[in-house]
């Protein structure tokens, strides 16, 4: 005779399955967004069909070129012409943080095109923790240069909680920021420093001249100090440079633990393993209970 399953047992199995699924889904792809920071998007209205097609075609080839270059370089800028006409050209670039590997750079950059092209952005910038991509039609690039617009425009700012009960925090933070200002130019536009319990980092866009980079970093430091005050952490993104700092009361972690995205990725993987193991144990326990109940029923039938 085939075994029969009691209704409470089936309900328990189904409930356990969906509860497990609910907790596992958030960890199915823990680094899919690589720590999204912000996105800017300019939409050009009244585009003709042919112009939109030319723009889309040039943008597709541009993204292919940028992604292919990201496995070998941390910065690359190029202009892509459309094969559909000789008037559509798009200038684009990517940049990765200098403290990540080429493989990490590639994995970060290849996630950017899909996010950049949502909402049909005519020009856009997508900023992740480890990399960013920016593109704009050539006529917009020429307009920027011809109008001599300030490149020290604040694009995004994040200030953490305040450190009202931390002695000498501002002194530590300001000393770390001063070290960045003193070193970033001679270190080629990227500098990361640890001072006591504060880690600070700054990076300029790859094609910037030394003087421009210094001015951009000075502006970012000024914004961090004036607008974030006693915040224990901050991220300041200007058009051509970014700055971040964090206060670690228990000591600054190793670099492997402190790269944007990696820590959340490792936490997600660890949580998935823990939950997966708990799930296996749970199903095993339910299976043993089922076997025990069937054995007891068979014994009762024999009696």
């Amino acid at each position: 005779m085939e075994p029969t399953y009691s209704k409470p047992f089936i309900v328990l199995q189904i409930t356990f399955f969906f509860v497990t699924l609910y907790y596992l889904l958030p960890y199915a792809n823990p680094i899919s967004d690589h720590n999204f920071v912000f996105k800017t998007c300019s939409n050009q209205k009244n585009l003709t069909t042919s112009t939109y097609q030319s723009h889309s075609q040039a943008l597709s080839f541009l993204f292919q070129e940028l992604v292919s270059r990201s496995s070998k370089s941390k910065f690359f800028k190029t202009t892509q012409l459309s094969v559909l006409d000789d008037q559509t050209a798009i200038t684009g670039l990517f940049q990765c943080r200098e403290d990540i590997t080429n493989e990490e750079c590639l994995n970060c950059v290849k996630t950017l095109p899909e996010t950049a092209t949502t909402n049909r952005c005519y020009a856009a910038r997508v900023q992740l923790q480890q990399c960013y991509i920016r593109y704009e039609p050539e006529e917009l690039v020429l307009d920027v240069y011809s109008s001599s617009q300030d490149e020290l425009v604040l694009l995004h700012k994040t200030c953490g909680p305040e450190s009202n009960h931390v002695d000498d925090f501002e002194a530590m933070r300001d000393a770390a920021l001063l070290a960045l200002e003193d070193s970033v130019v001679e270190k080629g536009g990227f500098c990361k420093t640890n001072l006591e319990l504060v880690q600070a980092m700054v990076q300029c866009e790859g094609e910037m001249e030394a003087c421009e980079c210094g001015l951009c970093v000075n502006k970012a430091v000024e914004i961090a100090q004036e607008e974030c005050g006693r915040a224990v952490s901050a991220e300041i993104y200007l058009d051509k440079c970014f700055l971040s700092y964090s206060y670690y009361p228990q000591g600054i972690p190793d670099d492997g633990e402190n790269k944007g995205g990696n820590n959340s990725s490792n936490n997600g993987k660890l949580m998935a393993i823990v939950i997966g193991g708990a799930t296996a144990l749970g199903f095993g326990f339910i299976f043993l209970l089922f076997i025990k109940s069937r054995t007891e029923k068979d014994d009762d039938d024999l009696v």
Side-chain angles (χ1 to χ4, degrees):
M1 183 177 65
E2 294 184 358
T4 58
Y5 297 89
S6 64
K7 185 176 180 180
F9 177 76
I10 296 175
V11 171
L12 181 61
Q13 278 190 316
I14 294 175
T15 302
F16 191 83
F17 172 77
F18 280 107
V19 169
T20 302
L21 186 63
Y22 173 80
Y23 282 103
L24 280 176
L25 279 177
Y27 302 99
N29 190 9
I31 56 172
S32 60
D33 62 355
H34 285 264
N35 296 90
F36 177 83
V37 180
F38 72 90
K39 174 183 176 179
T40 62
C41 176
S42 299
N43 292 316
Q44 186 77 4
K45 297 181 179 179
N46 302 321
L47 287 179
T48 64
T49 301
S50 60
T51 301
Y52 176 74
Q53 290 175 344
S54 297
H55 179 272
S56 298
Q57 185 269 338
L59 192 57
S60 177
F61 283 124
L62 173 68
F63 287 150
Q64 292 178 33
E65 179 71 7
L66 294 179
V67 171
S68 67
R69 295 278 185 163
S70 65
S71 64
K72 308 177 185 67
S73 174
K74 301 293 177 60
F75 174 83
F76 182 72
K77 181 177 181 179
T78 187
T79 297
Q80 179 66 52
L81 295 172
S82 172
V83 298
L84 301 179
D85 64 58
D86 57 358
Q87 297 180 343
T88 301
I90 302 178
T91 296
L93 63 86
F94 77 85
Q95 182 162 19
C96 293
R97 277 174 31 183
E98 285 294 333
D99 62 335
I100 68 174
T101 66
N102 288 338
E103 182 180 3
E104 289 173 320
C105 181
L106 170 63
N107 290 335
C108 187
V109 172
K110 69 183 182 182
T111 68
L112 291 168
E114 182 177 357
T115 305
T117 52
T118 55
N119 304 322
R120 294 189 174 185
C121 299
Y122 194 63
R125 171 171 174 154
V126 179
Q127 179 75 54
L128 307 184
Q129 285 286 350
Q130 294 184 335
C131 67
Y132 72 91
I133 197 170
R134 176 162 59 87
Y135 71 87
E136 52 213 343
E138 187 67 13
E139 63 266 23
L140 295 183
V141 178
L142 296 176
D143 287 344
V144 169
Y145 284 112
S146 63
S147 61
S148 300
Q149 291 185 1
D150 187 1
E151 294 182 344
L152 306 183
V153 177
L154 177 64
L155 299 178
H156 182 79
K157 174 189 69 178
T158 301
C159 301
E162 293 190 354
S163 58
N164 295 324
H165 304 292
V166 180
D167 295 334
D168 300 326
F169 164 73
E170 286 183 282
M172 284 187 289
R173 189 269 315 273
D174 291 346
L177 297 182
L178 179 61
L180 294 182
E181 291 182 283
D182 291 341
S183 304
V184 64
V185 173
E186 65 183 44
K187 291 189 176 182
F190 175 83
C191 183
K192 186 175 182 180
T193 185
N194 298 335
L195 188 63
E196 297 186 59
L197 300 177
V198 174
Q199 182 175 82
M201 176 171 54
V202 69
Q203 184 169 16
C204 294
E205 193 165 278
E207 62 179 356
M208 291 188 76
E209 298 291 339
C211 182
E212 295 174 329
C213 177
L215 290 174
C216 194
V217 172
N218 292 343
K219 180 67 173 180
V221 168
E222 178 183 322
I223 293 173
Q225 292 173 326
E226 294 183 358
E227 299 189 24
C228 288
R230 290 182 57 83
V232 296
S233 64
E235 293 181 354
I236 310 297
Y237 293 89
L238 302 182
D239 189 39
K240 293 298 182 74
C241 68
F242 85 90
L243 175 149
S244 69
Y245 72 82
S246 296
Y247 168 74
Y248 296 94
Q250 304 302 322
I252 297 173
D254 295 335
D255 283 344
E257 301 174 11
N258 198 38
K259 289 182 181 178
N262 286 353
N263 197 35
S264 62
S265 170
N266 292 335
N267 289 341
K269 290 177 181 177
L270 178 60
M271 184 63 71
I273 292 172
V274 171
I275 295 176
T279 302
L281 289 174
F283 276 116
F285 180 70
I286 292 174
F287 179 73
L288 290 175
L289 288 178
F290 172 72
I291 294 298
K292 181 180 179 182
S293 66
R294 295 303 304 168
T295 303
E296 291 176 350
K297 184 178 179 181
D298 291 341
D299 291 341
D300 292 339
D301 291 341
L302 289 175
V303 174

